[in-house]
Amino acid sequence: MLGPLEQFLRPAVAAALPPGQDLRTGPAAVPDGTASRVAIHALRLVRDAPSGPDDLATRDAAFLGWQGGLIATPGHPLDFTLPADAVGDLTEVHCPPGRVLAAGDAYVLDGRTLRFFQEPRGPVLARTRGAPCTGYQERCNGRIELELRAWARDMDTADDLLARSLAASLAAFAGLDVIDLSSAPPRLALRFTHPRVSLAGIERDLDPDARDWPRSVALCQIRGELETSLTLGAPDPQGRIRQVDVAVHLPSRPPVGG
């Protein structure tokens, strides 16, 4: 489920490296047949332990909804209409995905059509929220541990590759609002909101599995709020009172003294 984070960083890191540089995502070993290698590896996501009773995870009701990309109306490059299966009301607009646009600043909603003030600089993604459903949405603080690794035949080259990769990765988080980690509609969605990345440390060594390969490693922490949404379909039926009959009973004889 951390693969989307690695894929998000990959284009930015690739652009910062020399042409043709071997670049991997996920766990990676020493180069095989190349002079150097860079790897982007999101190791783990960890929920923060609550510091007290006021720091517990919050759990709210779940809602049916829709998320997907929008395509401009032919002949109208500024207009993007929500599809028929986009149930509910518009809640977020991303352009590019991960960066939330403010309604009124970047676009206006005219019925079911988003009308942008200028041509979007990248894909447009929208989210809607519909009727309540069974399930829940939970929020808690957490962190993602990220490693950037560079192998080369000499340490200077490994350091240079790491520096390029680290600079590109830190810059990629500028202005980022949301990282979509997993989506398995219609049941589970994981998002990491308000991500803040920081450099936790740098290590230089010889790869323990291949001692002739110098290795340079940057350790990063991405802190934010983990949003877990579990939607299980329509809510369970509940009994409702259809009608209330009110009867007024008058006394059969006037009260004493009346």
Side-chain angles (χ1 to χ4, degrees), residues 145-175:
E145 298 176 7
L146 174 72
E147 279 191 1
L148 302 172
R149 297 189 178 194
W151 292 266
R153 283 302 184 183
D154 61 90
M155 187 59 77
D156 288 343
T157 302
D159 285 347
D160 177 66
L161 293 173
L162 181 70
R164 293 168 178 255
S165 303
L166 178 60
S169 297
L170 295 178
F173 281 93

PDB file of all heavy atoms in Angstrom, residues 145-175:
ATOM      1  N   GLU A 145       8.035   6.109   6.992  1.00  0.00           N
ATOM      2  CA  GLU A 145       9.496   6.093   6.952  1.00  0.00           C
ATOM      3  C   GLU A 145       9.942   5.790   5.527  1.00  0.00           C
ATOM      4  O   GLU A 145       9.539   4.786   4.937  1.00  0.00           O
ATOM      5  CB  GLU A 145      10.037   5.066   7.940  1.00  0.00           C
ATOM      6  CG  GLU A 145       9.664   5.399   9.387  1.00  0.00           C
ATOM      7  CD  GLU A 145      10.127   4.334  10.364  1.00  0.00           C
ATOM      8  OE1 GLU A 145      10.847   3.402   9.939  1.00  0.00           O
ATOM      9  OE2 GLU A 145       9.770   4.435  11.557  1.00  0.00           O
ATOM     10  N   LEU A 146      10.761   6.667   4.990  1.00  0.00           N
ATOM     11  CA  LEU A 146      11.192   6.603   3.597  1.00  0.00           C
ATOM     12  C   LEU A 146      12.715   6.551   3.540  1.00  0.00           C
ATOM     13  O   LEU A 146      13.395   7.293   4.262  1.00  0.00           O
ATOM     14  CB  LEU A 146      10.680   7.825   2.836  1.00  0.00           C
ATOM     15  CG  LEU A 146      11.140   8.000   1.390  1.00  0.00           C
ATOM     16  CD1 LEU A 146      10.462   6.974   0.495  1.00  0.00           C
ATOM     17  CD2 LEU A 146      10.842   9.420   0.906  1.00  0.00           C
ATOM     18  N   GLU A 147      13.238   5.678   2.684  1.00  0.00           N
ATOM     19  CA  GLU A 147      14.677   5.607   2.459  1.00  0.00           C
ATOM     20  C   GLU A 147      14.989   5.871   0.991  1.00  0.00           C
ATOM     21  O   GLU A 147      14.315   5.349   0.094  1.00  0.00           O
ATOM     22  CB  GLU A 147      15.233   4.230   2.828  1.00  0.00           C
ATOM     23  CG  GLU A 147      15.472   4.032   4.309  1.00  0.00           C
ATOM     24  CD  GLU A 147      16.268   2.772   4.592  1.00  0.00           C
ATOM     25  OE1 GLU A 147      16.649   2.062   3.629  1.00  0.00           O
ATOM     26  OE2 GLU A 147      16.519   2.488   5.773  1.00  0.00           O
ATOM     27  N   LEU A 148      16.015   6.664   0.756  1.00  0.00           N
ATOM     28  CA  LEU A 148      16.590   6.849  -0.576  1.00  0.00           C
ATOM     29  C   LEU A 148      17.991   6.255  -0.530  1.00  0.00           C
ATOM     30  O   LEU A 148      18.802   6.624   0.330  1.00  0.00           O
ATOM     31  CB  LEU A 148      16.658   8.332  -0.941  1.00  0.00           C
ATOM     32  CG  LEU A 148      15.333   9.091  -0.930  1.00  0.00           C
ATOM     33  CD1 LEU A 148      15.575  10.580  -1.122  1.00  0.00           C
ATOM     34  CD2 LEU A 148      14.393   8.566  -2.006  1.00  0.00           C
ATOM     35  N   ARG A 149      18.284   5.332  -1.438  1.00  0.00           N
ATOM     36  CA  ARG A 149      19.582   4.656  -1.436  1.00  0.00           C
ATOM     37  C   ARG A 149      20.263   4.841  -2.783  1.00  0.00           C
ATOM     38  O   ARG A 149      19.609   4.834  -3.827  1.00  0.00           O
ATOM     39  CB  ARG A 149      19.412   3.160  -1.150  1.00  0.00           C
ATOM     40  CG  ARG A 149      18.825   2.870   0.211  1.00  0.00           C
ATOM     41  CD  ARG A 149      18.867   1.401   0.528  1.00  0.00           C
ATOM     42  NE  ARG A 149      18.358   1.115   1.858  1.00  0.00           N
ATOM     43  CZ  ARG A 149      18.523  -0.036   2.488  1.00  0.00           C
ATOM     44  NH1 ARG A 149      19.172  -1.027   1.875  1.00  0.00           N
ATOM     45  NH2 ARG A 149      18.042  -0.219   3.696  1.00  0.00           N
ATOM     46  N   ALA A 150      21.577   5.006  -2.736  1.00  0.00           N
ATOM     47  CA  ALA A 150      22.368   5.135  -3.960  1.00  0.00           C
ATOM     48  C   ALA A 150      23.614   4.268  -3.837  1.00  0.00           C
ATOM     49  O   ALA A 150      24.348   4.357  -2.843  1.00  0.00           O
ATOM     50  CB  ALA A 150      22.759   6.595  -4.191  1.00  0.00           C
ATOM     51  N   TRP A 151      23.838   3.408  -4.840  1.00  0.00           N
ATOM     52  CA  TRP A 151      25.040   2.575  -4.923  1.00  0.00           C
ATOM     53  C   TRP A 151      25.879   3.058  -6.104  1.00  0.00           C
ATOM     54  O   TRP A 151      25.338   3.432  -7.156  1.00  0.00           O
ATOM     55  CB  TRP A 151      24.683   1.115  -5.172  1.00  0.00           C
ATOM     56  CG  TRP A 151      23.988   0.394  -4.076  1.00  0.00           C
ATOM     57  CD1 TRP A 151      24.546  -0.375  -3.097  1.00  0.00           C
ATOM     58  CD2 TRP A 151      22.561   0.298  -3.874  1.00  0.00           C
ATOM     59  NE1 TRP A 151      23.568  -0.939  -2.294  1.00  0.00           N
ATOM     60  CE2 TRP A 151      22.351  -0.536  -2.748  1.00  0.00           C
ATOM     61  CE3 TRP A 151      21.459   0.849  -4.529  1.00  0.00           C
ATOM     62  CZ2 TRP A 151      21.079  -0.838  -2.270  1.00  0.00           C
ATOM     63  CZ3 TRP A 151      20.193   0.562  -4.057  1.00  0.00           C
ATOM     64  CH2 TRP A 151      20.017  -0.277  -2.937  1.00  0.00           C
ATOM     65  N   ALA A 152      27.175   3.012  -5.949  1.00  0.00           N
ATOM     66  CA  ALA A 152      28.083   3.330  -7.051  1.00  0.00           C
ATOM     67  C   ALA A 152      29.426   2.678  -6.762  1.00  0.00           C
ATOM     68  O   ALA A 152      29.676   2.174  -5.662  1.00  0.00           O
ATOM     69  CB  ALA A 152      28.232   4.838  -7.227  1.00  0.00           C
ATOM     70  N   ARG A 153      30.313   2.727  -7.773  1.00  0.00           N
ATOM     71  CA  ARG A 153      31.632   2.121  -7.607  1.00  0.00           C
ATOM     72  C   ARG A 153      32.538   2.957  -6.722  1.00  0.00           C
ATOM     73  O   ARG A 153      33.567   2.458  -6.241  1.00  0.00           O
ATOM     74  CB  ARG A 153      32.282   1.902  -8.973  1.00  0.00           C
ATOM     75  CG  ARG A 153      31.725   0.711  -9.724  1.00  0.00           C
ATOM     76  CD  ARG A 153      31.886  -0.564  -8.934  1.00  0.00           C
ATOM     77  NE  ARG A 153      31.436  -1.749  -9.660  1.00  0.00           N
ATOM     78  CZ  ARG A 153      31.429  -2.967  -9.134  1.00  0.00           C
ATOM     79  NH1 ARG A 153      31.824  -3.159  -7.888  1.00  0.00           N
ATOM     80  NH2 ARG A 153      31.000  -3.987  -9.839  1.00  0.00           N
ATOM     81  N   ASP A 154      32.191   4.230  -6.511  1.00  0.00           N
ATOM     82  CA  ASP A 154      32.961   5.074  -5.608  1.00  0.00           C
ATOM     83  C   ASP A 154      31.984   5.906  -4.780  1.00  0.00           C
ATOM     84  O   ASP A 154      30.866   6.209  -5.221  1.00  0.00           O
ATOM     85  CB  ASP A 154      33.942   5.962  -6.376  1.00  0.00           C
ATOM     86  CG  ASP A 154      33.216   6.906  -7.328  1.00  0.00           C
ATOM     87  OD1 ASP A 154      32.871   8.023  -6.909  1.00  0.00           O
ATOM     88  OD2 ASP A 154      32.969   6.493  -8.477  1.00  0.00           O
ATOM     89  N   MET A 155      32.413   6.300  -3.589  1.00  0.00           N
ATOM     90  CA  MET A 155      31.525   6.980  -2.667  1.00  0.00           C
ATOM     91  C   MET A 155      31.124   8.361  -3.167  1.00  0.00           C
ATOM     92  O   MET A 155      29.996   8.818  -2.923  1.00  0.00           O
ATOM     93  CB  MET A 155      32.173   7.085  -1.287  1.00  0.00           C
ATOM     94  CG  MET A 155      31.242   7.631  -0.208  1.00  0.00           C
ATOM     95  SD  MET A 155      29.737   6.626   0.023  1.00  0.00           S
ATOM     96  CE  MET A 155      30.415   5.259   0.977  1.00  0.00           C
ATOM     97  N   ASP A 156      32.019   9.059  -3.857  1.00  0.00           N
ATOM     98  CA  ASP A 156      31.666  10.389  -4.358  1.00  0.00           C
ATOM     99  C   ASP A 156      30.476  10.324  -5.305  1.00  0.00           C
ATOM    100  O   ASP A 156      29.567  11.164  -5.243  1.00  0.00           O
ATOM    101  CB  ASP A 156      32.866  11.024  -5.059  1.00  0.00           C
ATOM    102  CG  ASP A 156      33.947  11.449  -4.083  1.00  0.00           C
ATOM    103  OD1 ASP A 156      33.644  11.543  -2.880  1.00  0.00           O
ATOM    104  OD2 ASP A 156      35.092  11.680  -4.522  1.00  0.00           O
ATOM    105  N   THR A 157      30.468   9.345  -6.192  1.00  0.00           N
ATOM    106  CA  THR A 157      29.341   9.200  -7.116  1.00  0.00           C
ATOM    107  C   THR A 157      28.060   8.839  -6.374  1.00  0.00           C
ATOM    108  O   THR A 157      26.984   9.368  -6.673  1.00  0.00           O
ATOM    109  CB  THR A 157      29.656   8.133  -8.185  1.00  0.00           C
ATOM    110  OG1 THR A 157      30.835   8.499  -8.893  1.00  0.00           O
ATOM    111  CG2 THR A 157      28.501   7.981  -9.160  1.00  0.00           C
ATOM    112  N   ALA A 158      28.166   7.942  -5.388  1.00  0.00           N
ATOM    113  CA  ALA A 158      26.988   7.573  -4.596  1.00  0.00           C
ATOM    114  C   ALA A 158      26.430   8.785  -3.859  1.00  0.00           C
ATOM    115  O   ALA A 158      25.209   8.993  -3.807  1.00  0.00           O
ATOM    116  CB  ALA A 158      27.361   6.465  -3.608  1.00  0.00           C
ATOM    117  N   ASP A 159      27.339   9.625  -3.296  1.00  0.00           N
ATOM    118  CA  ASP A 159      26.886  10.827  -2.598  1.00  0.00           C
ATOM    119  C   ASP A 159      26.183  11.788  -3.552  1.00  0.00           C
ATOM    120  O   ASP A 159      25.164  12.403  -3.201  1.00  0.00           O
ATOM    121  CB  ASP A 159      28.073  11.527  -1.946  1.00  0.00           C
ATOM    122  CG  ASP A 159      28.568  10.804  -0.694  1.00  0.00           C
ATOM    123  OD1 ASP A 159      27.840   9.922  -0.199  1.00  0.00           O
ATOM    124  OD2 ASP A 159      29.678  11.128  -0.227  1.00  0.00           O
ATOM    125  N   ASP A 160      26.715  11.940  -4.748  1.00  0.00           N
ATOM    126  CA  ASP A 160      26.108  12.853  -5.713  1.00  0.00           C
ATOM    127  C   ASP A 160      24.723  12.365  -6.131  1.00  0.00           C
ATOM    128  O   ASP A 160      23.769  13.159  -6.200  1.00  0.00           O
ATOM    129  CB  ASP A 160      27.009  12.977  -6.948  1.00  0.00           C
ATOM    130  CG  ASP A 160      26.386  13.867  -8.008  1.00  0.00           C
ATOM    131  OD1 ASP A 160      26.233  15.076  -7.765  1.00  0.00           O
ATOM    132  OD2 ASP A 160      26.018  13.337  -9.082  1.00  0.00           O
ATOM    133  N   LEU A 161      24.583  11.084  -6.395  1.00  0.00           N
ATOM    134  CA  LEU A 161      23.278  10.538  -6.771  1.00  0.00           C
ATOM    135  C   LEU A 161      22.268  10.700  -5.643  1.00  0.00           C
ATOM    136  O   LEU A 161      21.094  11.023  -5.882  1.00  0.00           O
ATOM    137  CB  LEU A 161      23.418   9.066  -7.150  1.00  0.00           C
ATOM    138  CG  LEU A 161      24.205   8.764  -8.427  1.00  0.00           C
ATOM    139  CD1 LEU A 161      24.399   7.253  -8.585  1.00  0.00           C
ATOM    140  CD2 LEU A 161      23.499   9.340  -9.648  1.00  0.00           C
ATOM    141  N   LEU A 162      22.722  10.491  -4.423  1.00  0.00           N
ATOM    142  CA  LEU A 162      21.816  10.635  -3.282  1.00  0.00           C
ATOM    143  C   LEU A 162      21.386  12.084  -3.112  1.00  0.00           C
ATOM    144  O   LEU A 162      20.209  12.365  -2.852  1.00  0.00           O
ATOM    145  CB  LEU A 162      22.476  10.126  -2.001  1.00  0.00           C
ATOM    146  CG  LEU A 162      21.580  10.210  -0.765  1.00  0.00           C
ATOM    147  CD1 LEU A 162      20.452   9.188  -0.856  1.00  0.00           C
ATOM    148  CD2 LEU A 162      22.385   9.990   0.517  1.00  0.00           C
ATOM    149  N   ALA A 163      22.338  13.013  -3.249  1.00  0.00           N
ATOM    150  CA  ALA A 163      22.003  14.423  -3.085  1.00  0.00           C
ATOM    151  C   ALA A 163      20.960  14.868  -4.111  1.00  0.00           C
ATOM    152  O   ALA A 163      20.010  15.587  -3.783  1.00  0.00           O
ATOM    153  CB  ALA A 163      23.266  15.275  -3.201  1.00  0.00           C
ATOM    154  N   ARG A 164      21.122  14.440  -5.353  1.00  0.00           N
ATOM    155  CA  ARG A 164      20.142  14.778  -6.383  1.00  0.00           C
ATOM    156  C   ARG A 164      18.765  14.202  -6.051  1.00  0.00           C
ATOM    157  O   ARG A 164      17.728  14.870  -6.190  1.00  0.00           O
ATOM    158  CB  ARG A 164      20.602  14.240  -7.733  1.00  0.00           C
ATOM    159  CG  ARG A 164      21.856  14.898  -8.309  1.00  0.00           C
ATOM    160  CD  ARG A 164      22.373  14.075  -9.480  1.00  0.00           C
ATOM    161  NE  ARG A 164      23.542  14.642 -10.114  1.00  0.00           N
ATOM    162  CZ  ARG A 164      23.527  15.268 -11.289  1.00  0.00           C
ATOM    163  NH1 ARG A 164      22.385  15.419 -11.936  1.00  0.00           N
ATOM    164  NH2 ARG A 164      24.642  15.744 -11.814  1.00  0.00           N
ATOM    165  N   SER A 165      18.747  12.941  -5.614  1.00  0.00           N
ATOM    166  CA  SER A 165      17.483  12.268  -5.310  1.00  0.00           C
ATOM    167  C   SER A 165      16.797  12.907  -4.117  1.00  0.00           C
ATOM    168  O   SER A 165      15.565  13.086  -4.110  1.00  0.00           O
ATOM    169  CB  SER A 165      17.740  10.783  -5.035  1.00  0.00           C
ATOM    170  OG  SER A 165      18.386  10.170  -6.124  1.00  0.00           O
ATOM    171  N   LEU A 166      17.579  13.258  -3.091  1.00  0.00           N
ATOM    172  CA  LEU A 166      17.001  13.854  -1.888  1.00  0.00           C
ATOM    173  C   LEU A 166      16.413  15.227  -2.193  1.00  0.00           C
ATOM    174  O   LEU A 166      15.294  15.542  -1.759  1.00  0.00           O
ATOM    175  CB  LEU A 166      18.061  13.945  -0.800  1.00  0.00           C
ATOM    176  CG  LEU A 166      17.627  14.591   0.522  1.00  0.00           C
ATOM    177  CD1 LEU A 166      16.472  13.815   1.152  1.00  0.00           C
ATOM    178  CD2 LEU A 166      18.809  14.674   1.489  1.00  0.00           C
ATOM    179  N   ALA A 167      17.145  16.046  -2.929  1.00  0.00           N
ATOM    180  CA  ALA A 167      16.643  17.379  -3.258  1.00  0.00           C
ATOM    181  C   ALA A 167      15.342  17.292  -4.043  1.00  0.00           C
ATOM    182  O   ALA A 167      14.382  18.037  -3.784  1.00  0.00           O
ATOM    183  CB  ALA A 167      17.699  18.148  -4.044  1.00  0.00           C
ATOM    184  N   ALA A 168      15.270  16.373  -5.003  1.00  0.00           N
ATOM    185  CA  ALA A 168      14.055  16.223  -5.810  1.00  0.00           C
ATOM    186  C   ALA A 168      12.886  15.725  -4.965  1.00  0.00           C
ATOM    187  O   ALA A 168      11.742  16.169  -5.141  1.00  0.00           O
ATOM    188  CB  ALA A 168      14.318  15.271  -6.969  1.00  0.00           C
ATOM    189  N   SER A 169      13.159  14.813  -4.040  1.00  0.00           N
ATOM    190  CA  SER A 169      12.095  14.263  -3.204  1.00  0.00           C
ATOM    191  C   SER A 169      11.536  15.312  -2.255  1.00  0.00           C
ATOM    192  O   SER A 169      10.309  15.433  -2.093  1.00  0.00           O
ATOM    193  CB  SER A 169      12.619  13.065  -2.408  1.00  0.00           C
ATOM    194  OG  SER A 169      13.019  12.019  -3.269  1.00  0.00           O
ATOM    195  N   LEU A 170      12.401  16.080  -1.620  1.00  0.00           N
ATOM    196  CA  LEU A 170      11.925  17.126  -0.708  1.00  0.00           C
ATOM    197  C   LEU A 170      11.104  18.163  -1.469  1.00  0.00           C
ATOM    198  O   LEU A 170      10.071  18.627  -0.977  1.00  0.00           O
ATOM    199  CB  LEU A 170      13.111  17.782  -0.005  1.00  0.00           C
ATOM    200  CG  LEU A 170      13.936  16.896   0.933  1.00  0.00           C
ATOM    201  CD1 LEU A 170      15.107  17.671   1.516  1.00  0.00           C
ATOM    202  CD2 LEU A 170      13.075  16.325   2.049  1.00  0.00           C
ATOM    203  N   ALA A 171      11.556  18.525  -2.674  1.00  0.00           N
ATOM    204  CA  ALA A 171      10.825  19.518  -3.462  1.00  0.00           C
ATOM    205  C   ALA A 171       9.470  18.996  -3.911  1.00  0.00           C
ATOM    206  O   ALA A 171       8.511  19.768  -4.045  1.00  0.00           O
ATOM    207  CB  ALA A 171      11.657  19.933  -4.675  1.00  0.00           C
ATOM    208  N   ALA A 172       9.351  17.687  -4.135  1.00  0.00           N
ATOM    209  CA  ALA A 172       8.092  17.111  -4.616  1.00  0.00           C
ATOM    210  C   ALA A 172       6.967  17.274  -3.597  1.00  0.00           C
ATOM    211  O   ALA A 172       5.789  17.278  -3.969  1.00  0.00           O
ATOM    212  CB  ALA A 172       8.285  15.638  -4.957  1.00  0.00           C
ATOM    213  N   PHE A 173       7.326  17.406  -2.322  1.00  0.00           N
ATOM    214  CA  PHE A 173       6.297  17.534  -1.285  1.00  0.00           C
ATOM    215  C   PHE A 173       5.813  18.962  -1.110  1.00  0.00           C
ATOM    216  O   PHE A 173       4.844  19.196  -0.374  1.00  0.00           O
ATOM    217  CB  PHE A 173       6.829  17.003   0.048  1.00  0.00           C
ATOM    218  CG  PHE A 173       6.809  15.504   0.145  1.00  0.00           C
ATOM    219  CD1 PHE A 173       7.922  14.764  -0.206  1.00  0.00           C
ATOM    220  CD2 PHE A 173       5.680  14.831   0.582  1.00  0.00           C
ATOM    221  CE1 PHE A 173       7.916  13.385  -0.128  1.00  0.00           C
ATOM    222  CE2 PHE A 173       5.659  13.453   0.660  1.00  0.00           C
ATOM    223  CZ  PHE A 173       6.782  12.724   0.301  1.00  0.00           C
ATOM    224  N   ALA A 174       6.479  19.922  -1.743  1.00  0.00           N
ATOM    225  CA  ALA A 174       6.056  21.314  -1.604  1.00  0.00           C
ATOM    226  C   ALA A 174       4.656  21.491  -2.183  1.00  0.00           C
ATOM    227  O   ALA A 174       4.409  21.191  -3.351  1.00  0.00           O
ATOM    228  CB  ALA A 174       7.056  22.229  -2.305  1.00  0.00           C
ATOM    229  N   GLY A 175       3.734  21.977  -1.377  1.00  0.00           N
ATOM    230  CA  GLY A 175       2.364  22.196  -1.831  1.00  0.00           C
ATOM    231  C   GLY A 175       1.504  20.959  -1.897  1.00  0.00           C
ATOM    232  O   GLY A 175       0.347  21.035  -2.319  1.00  0.00           O
TER     233      GLY A 175
END
